[in-house]
């Protein structure tokens, strides 16, 4: 009886409520209507759009999919160098994957944020909301949309252009636009954004990391360089190289300068003075990363790239010049049949391999004998195999088998090495050295080899690097290879290499070359013997120049969305 009375009371309570009971605002979240009627909420919504920009300080750095590192794992990102990626498992290299996936598959995140950006732009167009810097926020959002579309086209070629939101019940089907149409769409967004953005922020400014006119110009430089490159410019249209030249030139005299120390360029906290960075992903004590502990070795309780799978490769180490400006090796053949011989002009000593090398090697790679954080690294193994150095793979599974560890981005001696420390050095997206290299490449392809050499040499002349200028005798194909190699060493581990070898259409050679490490044997008398060791035979086939779209996404679109060529 008591239960019946209680039921009647509850029922009466419901009937006595307002007729608008189903229209009440949720109390556990902010309703969409509230966002567009409150200037602070609208501004906060727009700030969250910056999460569309990924950073490379994830468990899996993109280097593992390239010849910069030895990916010891055969799963997740390790599928790429082994040629095992397909449309069903490509989600394992998604930025949404728990490892970060090397930021390689970006489809889901990109389109999720694309809808959010389109919604913001639509609401701002219709809104009378008194929003501070409304024009600037709209311009920033157009930059972000352009940035998303650039990430799409470098991965997939042409993709559907979507510049409006769709609601539940709307009828729509998505089809691919052409690569050229996507480039034009990106260009239009950037041109629309530039007039309403500040030219730049100083790296010490609280707004650094937000879009600027210079960030738009830097994206244009990269966009046009890719569009002019052989993968996308199949007819070698000269006008595309001219656009790449002009976009880079637009930033050459914008007040930026090369940072005076290649090491501190990458290891100082967000907010530090740095006049080379044009645009970056910033971090704070509450929004931080743990890249050092992910990538250093067991000496510091770190994971060597997780499963010791981000050890720099011998391939990369071999490509740093000698201090006399000569390449240490001469290469012949290609792919799995590549061979190398010592360049007799270089002075390279295979039993003293790290002496007299480009200083950027020491700033990028920890090797046997390196001193870091006051520790001298030991990667030797005794000839009888019974004893070994503390930093060798035999000591711990968290020491990379390549016998190299990542130095770039790692903290200076004044910063603790601990899982409890919150690291805030920024992930650099655009910096002046890249613009110099973009300009050099475009000028070379347009036939101005002298200017190409000049800007390559500017990068090499950075204070503390001080590498010799590229001689005037280096011309033609030899100069092109110098351009390719300068990008390789200057931009190592910054998420350029994967895309560069594809846009140049040299991946059928480069991505089929085996990955090597370095074995160091200590003889009974204490002498060391250095011996390169084969670690991985790699596989690359032409369809891998672009990524497949996940099978579930193709199925979701009912046949209207075509799969990337070769992955059907």
């Amino acid at each position: 009886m008591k239960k019946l009375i209680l039921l009647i009371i509850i029922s009466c309570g419901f009937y006595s409520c307002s007729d608008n009971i189903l229209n009440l605002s949720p109390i556990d979240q902010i309703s969409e209507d509230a966002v567009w009627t409150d200037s602070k909420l609208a501004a906060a919504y727009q700030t969250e759009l910056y999460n569309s920009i990924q950073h490379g300080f994830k468990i899996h750095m993109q280097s593992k999919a390239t010849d910069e590192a030895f990916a010891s794992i055969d799963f997740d990102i390790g599928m790429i160098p082994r040629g095992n990626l397909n449309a069903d498992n490509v989600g394992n290299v998604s930025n949404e994957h728990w490892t970060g996936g090397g930021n390689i598959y970006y489809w889901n995140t990109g389109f999720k944020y694309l809808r959010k950006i389109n919604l913001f732009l639509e609401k701002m167009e219709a809104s009378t909301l008194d929003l501070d810097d409304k024009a600037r926020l709209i311009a920033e959002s157009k930059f972000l949309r352009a940035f998303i579309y650039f990430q799409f086209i470098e991965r997939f070629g042409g993709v559907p252009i979507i510049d409006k939101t769709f609601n539940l019940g709307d009828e729509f089907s998505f089809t691919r636009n052409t690569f050229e149409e996507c480039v034009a769409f990106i260009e239009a967004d950037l041109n629309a954004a530039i007039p309403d953005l500040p030219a730049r922020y100083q790296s010490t400014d609280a707004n650094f990391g937000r879009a600027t006119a210079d960030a738009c110009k830097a994206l244009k430089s990269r966009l046009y360089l890719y569009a002019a490159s052989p993968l996308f410019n199949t007819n070698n249209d000269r006008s595309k190289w001219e656009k790449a030249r002009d976009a880079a030139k637009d930033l050459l005299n914008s007040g930026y300068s090369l940072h005076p120390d290649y090491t501190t360029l990458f290891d100082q906290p967000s907010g530090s003075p740095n006049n080379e960075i044009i645009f970056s992903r910033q971090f704070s004590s509450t929004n931080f990363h743990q890249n050092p502990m992910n990538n250093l070795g067991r000496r510091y309780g770190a994971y060597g790239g997780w499963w010791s799978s981000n050890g720099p490769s011998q391939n990369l180490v071999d490509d740093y010049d000698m201090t006399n400006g000569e390449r240490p090796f001469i290469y012949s053949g290609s792919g799995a049949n590549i061979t190398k011989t010592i360049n007799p002009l270089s002075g390279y000593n295979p039993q003293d391999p790290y002496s007299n090398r480009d200083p950027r090697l020491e700033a990028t790679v920890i090797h046997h004998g390196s001193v870091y954080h006051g520790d001298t690294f030991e990667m030797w193994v005794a000839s009888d195999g019974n004893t070994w150095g503390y930093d060798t793979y035999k000591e711990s599974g968290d020491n990379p088998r390549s016998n190299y560890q990542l130095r770039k981005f790692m903290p200076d001696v004044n910063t603790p090495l601990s899982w409890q420390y919150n690291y805030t050095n920024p992930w650099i997206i655009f910096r002046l050295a890249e613009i110099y290299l973009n300009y050099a490449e475009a000028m070379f392809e347009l036939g101005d080899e002298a200017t190409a050499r000049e800007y390559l040499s500017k990068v090499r002349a950075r204070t503390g690097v001080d590498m010799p200028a590229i001689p005037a005798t280096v011309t033609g194909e030899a100069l092109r290879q110098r351009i390719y190699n300068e990008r390789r060493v200057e931009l190592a581990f910054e998420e350029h290499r994967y895309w560069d070898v594809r846009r140049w259409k040299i991946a059928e050679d480069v991505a089929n070359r085996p990955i090597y490490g370095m074995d160091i044997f200590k003889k009974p008398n204490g002498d060391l013997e250095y011996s390169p060791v084969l670690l991985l035979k790699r596989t690359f086939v032409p369809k891998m120049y672009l990524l497949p779209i996940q099978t579930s996404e193709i199925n979701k679109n009912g046949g209207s969305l075509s799969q990337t060529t070769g992955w059907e």
Side-chain angles (χ1 to χ4, degrees):
M1 185 66 178
K2 289 180 180 179
K3 291 182 180 179
L4 178 59
I5 294 172
L6 179 60
L7 179 60
I8 293 171
I9 292 172
I10 293 173
S11 299
C12 290
F14 276 126
Y15 282 111
S16 67
C17 291
S18 164
D19 291 338
N20 294 324
I21 187 171
L22 298 180
N23 294 324
L24 292 176
S25 297
I27 62 174
D28 62 338
Q29 58 184 323
I30 300 171
S31 71
E32 185 175 296
D33 288 341
V35 170
W36 308 119
T37 57
D38 185 300
S39 60
K40 291 183 179 180
L41 292 177
Y45 178 98
Q46 194 274 345
T47 296
E48 197 277 328
L49 299 178
Y50 278 87
N51 285 325
S52 61
I53 295 180
Q54 303 302 297
H55 65 83
F57 294 142
K58 310 287 182 63
I59 287 173
H60 283 336
M61 295 188 75
Q62 198 174 98
S63 48
K64 300 179 186 184
T66 76
D67 58 359
E68 293 175 334
F70 168 48
S72 59
I73 55 174
D74 60 6
F75 53 90
D76 294 343
I77 201 169
M79 297 184 299
I80 291 179
R82 291 163 175 80
N84 296 329
L85 191 75
N86 59 53
D88 293 323
N89 63 27
V90 71
N92 290 349
V93 294
S94 166
N95 67 291
E96 295 180 322
H97 192 266
W98 73 276
T99 62
N103 292 327
I104 291 175
Y105 189 76
Y106 179 71
W107 185 275
N108 296 334
T109 294
F111 278 105
K112 178 177 72 176
Y113 274 96
L114 184 61
R115 185 188 186 282
K116 290 183 177 183
I117 291 168
N118 287 337
L119 179 63
F120 179 80
L121 293 173
E122 289 171 0
K123 293 296 184 181
M124 290 301 99
E125 183 176 358
S127 175
T128 59
L129 192 63
D130 183 17
L131 186 63
D132 289 342
D133 295 325
K134 180 177 178 179
R136 176 177 62 83
L137 296 180
I138 290 172
E140 288 182 8
S141 302
K142 289 182 177 179
F143 166 81
L144 293 172
R145 184 166 66 180
F147 194 90
I148 288 172
Y149 264 97
F150 174 78
Q151 293 189 82
F152 282 158
I153 64 174
E154 70 177 346
R155 288 160 169 79
F156 305 104
V159 296
I161 293 176
I162 304 172
D163 59 359
K164 64 179 182 178
T165 58
F166 292 88
N167 299 311
L168 191 63
D170 290 349
E171 292 187 8
F172 56 86
S173 61
F174 297 128
T175 58
R176 286 186 187 248
N177 290 80
T178 65
F179 176 85
E180 290 74 16
E181 288 169 338
C182 292
V183 170
F185 182 72
I186 296 168
E187 181 181 42
D189 263 351
L190 294 174
N191 287 339
I194 288 173
D196 291 318
L197 292 172
R200 63 176 294 188
Y201 297 111
Q202 296 297 322
S203 65
T204 53
D205 193 301
N207 283 316
F208 193 71
R210 300 190 78 95
T212 61
D214 285 351
C216 291
K217 292 176 182 179
L219 179 53
K220 274 190 177 185
S221 176
R222 194 180 294 178
L223 168 71
Y224 294 147
L225 187 75
Y226 276 55
S229 297
L231 179 62
F232 302 113
N233 185 16
T234 55
N235 297 321
N236 197 23
D237 182 345
R238 180 181 174 88
S239 67
K240 294 183 178 181
W241 285 112
E242 290 171 346
K243 292 185 77 169
R245 173 200 63 196
D246 294 345
K249 189 175 182 179
D250 202 18
L251 277 169
L252 296 182
N253 299 303
S254 297
Y256 300 93
S257 58
L258 296 179
H259 192 68
D261 187 310
Y262 187 80
T263 299
T264 60
L265 168 59
F266 303 103
D267 70 9
Q268 296 304 293
S270 291
S272 300
N274 193 319
N275 199 43
E276 180 168 345
I277 304 175
I278 300 170
F279 184 68
S280 66
R281 174 74 180 262
Q282 299 291 94
F283 296 93
S284 69
S285 59
T286 56
N287 172 30
F288 54 89
H289 62 81
Q290 293 182 312
N291 189 58
M293 304 311 295
N294 287 336
N295 284 288
L296 290 169
R298 180 45 48 180
R299 177 182 287 273
Y300 305 114
Y303 290 167
W306 286 67
W307 308 284
S308 64
S309 64
N310 200 39
S313 68
Q314 187 64 43
N315 307 52
L316 174 64
V317 171
D318 284 345
D319 281 340
Y320 286 85
D321 286 356
M322 306 300 291
T323 51
N324 63 8
E326 291 286 344
R327 303 291 305 280
F329 296 100
I330 297 171
Y331 294 90
S332 60
S334 65
N337 298 315
I338 193 75
T339 61
K340 66 179 183 182
T341 56
I342 294 174
N343 176 3
L345 301 177
S346 69
Y348 176 79
N349 180 355
Q351 295 308 316
D352 189 13
Y354 312 123
S355 294
N356 303 316
R357 303 295 294 274
D358 182 333
R360 289 173 292 185
L361 172 59
E362 202 70 41
T364 304
V365 176
I366 295 172
H367 56 76
H368 177 78
S370 288
V371 177
Y372 173 67
H373 256 245
D375 300 311
T376 300
F377 278 68
E378 299 186 32
M379 280 84 164
W380 57 269
V381 176
S383 298
D384 60 11
N386 292 327
T387 56
W388 47 78
Y390 188 65
D391 304 290
T392 185
Y393 65 97
K394 283 184 170 288
E395 175 68 21
S396 170
D398 290 321
N399 291 331
R401 176 63 184 90
S402 66
N403 277 328
Y404 295 113
Q405 295 179 29
L406 184 61
R407 170 64 180 90
K408 196 172 190 176
F409 315 115
M410 298 301 115
D412 63 22
V413 70
N414 299 311
T415 305
L417 294 171
S418 168
W419 286 101
Q420 283 68 53
Y421 192 84
N422 300 339
Y423 298 96
T424 67
N425 49 308
W427 176 257
I428 301 174
I429 296 170
F430 298 118
R431 59 185 179 97
L432 182 63
E434 181 200 345
I435 303 302
Y436 281 177
L437 294 172
N438 293 355
Y439 188 60
E441 185 176 342
M443 294 304 284
F444 170 79
E445 297 295 346
L446 290 168
D448 187 345
E449 294 191 352
T451 302
R453 286 191 294 269
E454 176 188 355
Y455 277 85
L456 283 184
S457 299
K458 283 180 182 288
V459 175
R460 295 163 64 85
R462 181 196 304 274
T463 302
V465 173
D466 301 313
M467 287 294 291
I470 301 296
T473 53
V474 178
T475 63
E477 184 59 28
L479 181 54
R480 175 182 281 115
Q481 295 305 316
R482 283 287 195 162
I483 290 168
Y484 289 178
N485 198 69
E486 197 63 30
R487 288 185 71 94
R488 173 158 172 67
V489 301
E490 173 68 23
L491 304 175
F493 295 94
E494 295 180 55
E495 294 194 349
H496 288 272
R497 183 65 172 173
Y498 184 91
W499 313 109
D500 277 347
V501 300
R502 283 159 174 75
R503 69 179 178 86
W504 291 327
K505 287 211 75 177
I506 63 172
E508 287 162 87
D509 170 13
V510 173
N512 275 313
R513 297 181 185 182
I515 295 292
Y516 285 84
M518 179 64 83
D519 277 348
I520 306 164
F521 300 105
K522 179 178 279 190
K523 300 177 182 179
N525 65 2
D527 290 345
L528 299 179
E529 178 185 349
Y530 290 82
S531 178
V533 56
L534 174 65
L535 298 178
L536 176 65
K537 294 181 178 180
R538 294 189 297 159
T539 298
F540 182 94
V541 293
K543 69 178 181 179
M544 295 170 67
Y545 276 110
L546 295 173
L547 290 174
I549 300 171
Q550 206 163 12
T551 300
S552 59
E553 195 67 30
I554 296 291
N555 295 338
K556 187 190 305 181
N557 281 272
S560 64
L561 181 65
S562 60
Q563 181 58 276
T564 306
T565 300
W567 296 101
E568 300 90 343

